[in-house]
Amino acid sequence: MSDTHDDHGHSHGHHHSGSELSEVELRVRALESLLTEKGYLDPAALDEIIDVYENRIGPRNGARVVARAWTDPDYKSRLLEDATAAIADLGYTGRQGEHMVVRENTPEVHNMVVCTLCSCYPWPVLGLPPVWYKSAPYRSRAVIDPRGVLGEFGVTLGAGVEVRVWDSTSEMRYLVLPLRPEGTEGWSADQLADIVTRDSMIGTGIVAAPSGAKS
Ligand code: FE
């Protein structure tokens, strides 16, 4: 499990080693080993539960926020003005989502989110952070070579597109509002939410045009 930030609430000013396990992580691991040893816990089932929160339930909330913004200009304005409140309107509140900021991608600007010091991530809208988000290479290279990192994720931007990298902290969690793909005119918010990927809301992906759509 990831850093809960219970114990530091960092402002990115203090020493923070990425390889150290926090006390909470150590406790979780010890508990997991004990429960597995006693036969109370099937590690495969646990992995499945984590996968659900990491990949399915969590990012679906963010996808609904994005789809609403794509279909409701007033909502989009409020989202860009005060993301925490606009996201709370859809019922997504809680720990690690108290101070949200949404950055909108445009044809000229692509936004990408990192936490250079640890793993700050907007849990209420994206769930648990993926392993790569917490990895030292992503955390350093996202800042030094964002286009290189994007290339590894299969994202190639035009030379004229500016890449802006946002460093998350416990005070500020970012969500990227990706570009709505062409070929989705007239789609409902539910249909749109289905094609919004987790990575597009971190900025390491884009939302692909639906197959069959001309673009
Ligand atoms: Fe962090």
Side-chain angles (χ1 to χ4, degrees):
M1 268 315 170
S2 68
D3 178 358
T4 65
H5 286 221
D6 271 339
D7 54 346
H8 66 297
H10 69 72
S11 56
H12 283 190
H14 67 255
H15 173 72
H16 193 105
S17 162
S19 59
E20 259 168 46
L21 290 176
S22 71
E23 193 187 325
V24 171
E25 286 167 326
L26 287 169
R27 282 168 179 270
V28 168
R29 287 200 186 186
L31 194 58
E32 186 182 345
S33 312
L34 182 66
L35 291 172
T36 304
E37 200 176 294
K38 299 278 182 195
Y40 294 135
L41 183 68
D42 172 2
L46 186 64
D47 287 347
E48 172 66 19
I49 290 167
I50 291 171
D51 177 68
V52 164
Y53 281 95
E54 194 171 280
N55 297 309
R56 290 185 260 158
I57 295 175
R60 290 301 98 213
N61 294 348
R64 284 183 210 106
V65 171
V66 168
R68 175 75 182 272
W70 281 348
T71 52
D72 179 344
D74 289 341
Y75 183 78
K76 180 175 152 183
S77 301
R78 284 193 287 134
L79 185 67
L80 296 175
E81 183 82 13
D82 182 351
T84 311
I87 289 168
D89 281 355
L90 298 192
Y92 310 133
T93 59
R95 284 157 52 82
Q96 315 295 325
E98 296 93 339
H99 306 286
M100 292 294 308
V101 172
V102 168
R103 298 296 181 197
E104 182 187 15
N105 284 351
T106 67
E108 293 79 33
V109 176
H110 180 90
N111 295 285
M112 185 172 154
V113 181
V114 65
C115 174
T116 54
L117 284 187
C118 46
S119 57
C120 298
Y121 194 71
W123 293 5
V125 278
L126 291 185
L128 299 174
V131 170
W132 56 257
Y133 184 85
K134 297 182 274 184
S135 73
Y138 177 75
R139 286 163 26 214
S140 55
R141 291 192 50 233
V143 177
I144 299 164
D145 179 22
R147 280 177 189 273
V149 171
L150 286 172
E152 285 162 28
F153 279 91
V155 176
T156 311
L157 301 169
V161 179
E162 179 193 344
V163 180
R164 290 185 190 157
V165 179
W166 301 94
D167 193 1
S168 308
T169 67
S170 56
E171 285 78 32
M172 209 70 95
R173 304 296 166 96
Y174 296 97
L175 184 75
V176 175
L177 177 57
L179 277 176
R180 178 173 173 169
E182 289 179 32
T184 59
E185 296 74 17
W187 283 31
S188 70
D190 283 348
Q191 285 175 298
L192 290 165
D194 280 345
I195 62 169
V196 177
T197 60
R198 176 193 68 195
D199 288 2
S200 73
M201 295 180 280
I202 304 174
T204 51
I206 54 171
V207 182
S211 53
K214 46 185 184 325
S215 60

